[in-house]
Amino acid sequence: MKPPFLDRAASGPATDTRDAGDFSALLQTRGLHQTYDPSAGRGPIGGASAVPGQTQATTILAFKFADGVLVAGDRRATAGNTVVYDRADKVLEIDRHSVMAIAGVPATAWEMARVLEHSFQYYRRTQLQEMSVGGKVRALSKLLRDNFGFVMQGVGVVVPLFATYDNGPANEAKLYFYDVMGANFEVAEYAATGSGSPAVRGVLYYENTWGAKPLHEYTLEESLRITLRALDTAAEADTATGGVDRHGRIFPVIKIIHAKGITTIEDDTMRGLFNAGRLNGPQPLSAGVPMG
Amino acid sequence: MIEEPFRFVEAIANRREYIETQIASGSPIVALNYGGGVLLCTLGRERQKIFEVYDRIAMGAIGHPGDIERLRMTAIELASTEGFTRSAGDVSLRRMANYSISPALKAAFEQIYGAPYLARVLFVELGAEASQNTFLRVDYDGSIQTNGTPFTKSRTEFAVLGGTRASAELMERFLKEKHHGGATLKDALDVALDAWTVGYLALDASEDEAETMPAEDKIRDTRKEQLAHATVEAAILEQGAASHITFRSVTEEELRPLLGDNA
């Protein structure tokens, strides 16, 4: 068989630069990535619960603190009432400076992350420059929009968070959340999505507004502590959120995006911080660690 | 013209001569193992010549920029789609070169009414350990030279790309003598630049001269002279890099102390 690119190579240098560096377009041309085809005429088959066996991943949060952006997610994936997996990774590194966190259907989300990761690398390698933050944010928007047909059919809902570091003149961490149609919203302080997010938002709002200092002034240690507590709080009432599982020693995934790249927080660090808290820590209740 | 076999042979020979002349003045490229991975290095004036192809694959090329660009795009496209549909571990330089790039080059070269690629490419793939690093050279006619075949007795630890055969051979001879795989980046860069100079001198030399190794002080002087008005372009594939992406360009700030007083 003729190698697929030969047609193009034989036709001489590409004269159409519209697709230059666009990995999604390349996948479409090669037929390597399926997106929903609206012309197929399939209507909605129900709400988001139409497919009861669908695996869902829940509760992710992110906020800006003194060193950059913290992105965290619990580890539980559920389908209906069933816990499918207790070690799911919902906080995914896309490139050296970008992290995508997912709430929703992992099947769709992980594929999106894969396309996104390859898109950024492909662009960087072919165009010999980094994609701009705006370009990256838009790329995820487009993937969500391409997926919207599936969402209308009641499958594959994904609501991601996207955090990246802008090394340009702005030189600051950026945080965005998305809706299912692909609208992107830049976040000034904090964001949370997924089934446990109301509780998380409660905790973060409270701390940010009424706590000793706003979240953006938090040190790393303070940020990690509030994150663990917020996820634990979310898991208290929401069965779909794993929180912090002390018995199974399963800790959330927490990543920090800062000027130099991405740091993943070790389980041991989280265990130490969590145990030093008021809940089941070695200290008496009255000696709780004050925030701030 | 093609109905007559001897005319075909003649046409191919003409074409070969034409391409060789076009490529002949290209600034040599040197790739070699060092303690931390593989170093690729050249001297240039106007355009980038060393590129990242995929997580563990780099390329350097001499020839026409337009043709190099087409080959570069092809390589990145092949590697990226393979890495996406299967996994990064399935991206293999050997497969890419043998099944896709070489046939395309050969086809373009022999279709004598079409334009051939005026380019010579050196690919490097970082293996799991230094002894598995692959150096692979693809020529404009699709022929492949590599250390990466399983039946090779001893894998060479370097590869060069020269505008002429004599230039490449002399550089290889030089490296066989001076290079060792465990060198520091500083020493590796030093040897690479000397090798580059040897190759560069051979480009201008007459046929007989190009076969004799230049004297050490001649190498040193020429190198100094060239470094004065050309820039060093260097990149490394880093063994044991923190990320799965092992390629990185060696920045100007990093180069300066490495070159030291040798510059």
Side-chain angles (χ1 to χ4, degrees), chain A residues 9 30 114 124-126, chain B residues 52 70 72 77 84 86:
Chain A
R30 297 273 177 281
R114 202 174 164 77
R124 186 175 58 75
R125 284 170 178 143
T126 56
Chain B
E52 174 181 9
R70 278 159 74 201
R72 186 175 79 86
E77 205 175 298
F84 175 81
R86 293 204 177 88

Side-chain angles (χ1 to χ4, degrees), chain A residues 275-289:
Chain A
N275 289 341
R278 286 181 60 181
L279 283 170
N280 280 341
Q283 301 157 34
L285 283 180
S286 57
V289 180

